[in-house]
Amino acid sequence: MAQTFASNRPFLKVSILLAFLLAAFWVASLVPMLTLALILSTLAAFVLKPLVKLLEFRLGLRRSIAIVCVFVLTGGTLTIISLEAVPFLIGRILGLYDQFRTFPFQEKLNIAAGELATLLPFLDAETIATKANQFIADGIDAVGQNLENIVPLIAMLSIVPFITYFVLAEGDLALKRMIERVPNKYFEMTLNVLNKIQRDLVGYLRGWILDSLIIGLLSMAGLWMLGIDYPFLIGGIAGVANLVPYLGPVVGAVPAFLVSLTQFGDFRMLIPIVLLTLAIQAIDNVVVQPLCFAKTVDMHPLTVIVVLIVGNELMGVAGMLLAIPIATILKVSTVETYWGLRNYRITA
């Protein structure tokens, strides 16, 4: 009896750890913007840390001065890019807005629906036109609602550099103090868990950004070859949307279709856009994601979808963005802790 209890103790300890982590993430979901800022700051610190260490140890700079130099370099680069990119984007968005504002969507949709009903007699032209108009109206409402969230999003992003600075300046010391409080029998196992979490999160972040960049470029190239107006703007939207796994090509297809409707006045580009979306999605799933993520996040696609749904229910879009990193933390923590308890023979 006692032997059975001892053999189950690793499972019991891991269950308690998992329950604690789930409770912590649930509490974090009550303040999604603050949680998003903290996690983005931590991820940014992971990315900038090698450069800070290079300046600190190779050039002999103090940690605070090295961090400031990295911030100036990064901020200057982003500022230069913004000075070139922002006016271009604003011009394209205003042009697209004027194009949508003056286009008779309802009239064209009614004509297109009538043509479609002629080809497929079992469809009702009025029903098709009504649903299409409702779809566009809902899309416009959704855009408006998202625009309302821009101010709190900008406020959240504005505190990310400050938090990132303190993570870079004091994160190692805080982590060291935390590890010092770990009992000796758990010391090696704790280091192993923390190192693997950091490795997997940094690997996922790099793959995440690279995957979105590739999807954005593929969308730009595909739309340009189809002759759709504003291919770079729409492709950029697809790339940013792909930060939520699997959504990029689909989100990019909607503005591409609306632009093609105003450009050609009919549904002639609907099938090419659908085929392009399916092709990019297939390339992403079969080629890009395996190359970008390799073995950093070993999750079944069905698991990823479930995790994204749960994240959306708890924290909305922020939850979808953070779902995979949080799931990675939970998985690595439980799997590596269980392995450590079993192999290090920690039974007390």
Side-chain angles (χ1 to χ4, degrees), residues 133-151:
N133 280 296
Q134 186 61 44
F135 174 77
I136 293 176
D138 292 343
I140 293 173
D141 290 341
V143 171
Q145 292 174 2
N146 288 326
L147 288 176
E148 293 176 358
N149 297 326
I150 286 181
V151 174

Side-chain angles (χ1 to χ4, degrees), residues 170-182 187:
E170 302 178 6
D172 289 343
L173 180 60
L175 184 62
K176 180 181 178 181
R177 288 178 177 174
M178 184 187 74
I179 294 176
E180 286 176 350
R181 297 179 180 273
V182 175
F187 184 79

Side-chain angles (χ1 to χ4, degrees), residues 35 53 91 119 135 138 274 293:
T35 302
K53 285 191 172 183
L119 295 174
F135 174 77
D138 292 343
V274 170
F293 296 111

Side-chain angles (χ1 to χ4, degrees), residues 48-70 168-170 172:
L48 298 177
K49 189 175 180 180
L51 186 54
V52 171
K53 285 191 172 183
L54 177 67
L55 295 178
E56 183 181 9
F57 295 110
R58 292 292 181 88
L59 300 182
L61 299 178
R62 292 176 55 187
R63 170 65 68 93
S64 57
I65 296 177
I67 295 173
V68 171
C69 290
V70 170
L168 287 170
E170 302 178 6
D172 289 343

